[in-house]
């Protein structure tokens, strides 16, 4: 089939086409169309990205969209049209951390931003970021930042005074 045939209504798949080729084309086209619709200059040119980079970019986009919610690996896999095992392997190889570690890091960075604004309480931030309890949020924050949320707030206040 030739793409320059204006009367072409349907393309036929070649029998020797690489496995997963259709899916890569669909995913890349979807990312490209999203970037065109949004008109964002910050979105990388998806057509220049290797397939794994495009997949990781799509996963990161999903995680960022759900920063104030929850998302599971199954939901991500469904949205990117790949198996859960495959996306875990590709993401970990490319990003050097698991999808959920990256997601939690995004949430911790957002928590730090919100804490430094000093407009919401630690409890409000924990629930806004969909942590099940203030205790779990505090433990996760301390593990990430080596400070409790309260200690972090105090340190940002001191930084502003200096």
């Amino acid at each position: 089939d030739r793409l320059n045939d204006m009367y072409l209504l349907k393309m036929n798949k070649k029998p020797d086409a690489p496995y997963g080729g259709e899916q890569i084309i669909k995913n890349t086209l979807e990312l490209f169309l999203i970037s065109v619709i949004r008109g964002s200059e910050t979105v990388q040119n998806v057509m220049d990205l290797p397939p794994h980079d495009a997949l990781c970019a799509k996963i990161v986009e999903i995680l960022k969209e759900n920063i104030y919610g929850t998302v599971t690996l199954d939901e991500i896999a469904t949205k990117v049209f790949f198996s859960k095992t495959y996306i875990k392997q590709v993401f970990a190889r490319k990003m050097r951390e698991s999808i959920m570690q990256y997601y939690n890091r995004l949430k911790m960075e957002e928590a730090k931003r919100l804490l430094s604004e000093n407009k919401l309480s630690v409890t409000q931030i924990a629930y806004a970021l969909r942590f099940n309890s203030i205790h779990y949020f505090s433990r996760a924050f301390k593990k990430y930042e080596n400070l409790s949320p309260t200690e972090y707030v105090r340190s940002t206040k001191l930084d502003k005074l200096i």
Side-chain angles (χ1 to χ4, degrees), residues 4 16 21 48 67 72 74 83 90 100 106 108 114 117 125 148 161:
N4 62 358
D16 61 338
D48 293 339
I67 196 91
T72 66
D74 288 322
S83 74
V90 168
M100 287 302 143
L106 286 175
M108 291 300 119
L114 293 170
E117 287 178 355
I125 292 169
S148 72
L161 291 175

Side-chain angles (χ1 to χ4, degrees), residues 8 37 39 89 93:
L8 180 66
I37 290 169
Q89 288 173 349
R93 196 176 317 125

Side-chain angles (χ1 to χ4, degrees), residues 104 108 130-141:
N104 286 330
M108 291 300 119
R130 296 293 191 261
F131 282 87
N132 293 333
S133 73
I134 181 67
H135 304 292
Y136 176 65
F137 170 73
S138 294
R139 278 195 313 273
F141 191 90

Side-chain angles (χ1 to χ4, degrees), residues 82-93:
F82 284 105
S83 74
K84 182 167 72 170
T85 304
Y86 180 74
I87 65 169
K88 284 168 51 177
Q89 288 173 349
V90 168
F91 194 89
R93 196 176 317 125

Side-chain angles (χ1 to χ4, degrees), residues 67-68 105-120 125 128-129 137 141 144-145 152-153 156 160:
I67 196 91
Y68 287 100
R105 187 162 56 82
L106 286 175
K107 285 187 177 250
M108 291 300 119
E109 289 298 323
E110 184 64 8
K112 284 171 51 178
R113 188 185 70 76
L114 293 170
L115 287 167
S116 65
E117 287 178 355
N118 213 18
K119 293 179 182 173
L120 299 172
I125 292 169
L129 293 171
F137 170 73
F141 191 90
Y144 178 77
E145 194 59 32
Y152 182 80
V153 169
T156 58
K160 289 177 184 174

Side-chain angles (χ1 to χ4, degrees), residues 1-15:
D1 296 334
R2 297 184 49 87
L3 292 177
N4 62 358
D5 180 0
M6 64 185 220
Y7 298 107
L8 180 66
L9 298 176
K10 183 179 178 191
M11 295 182 67
N12 298 316
K13 182 178 173 183
K14 290 183 178 180

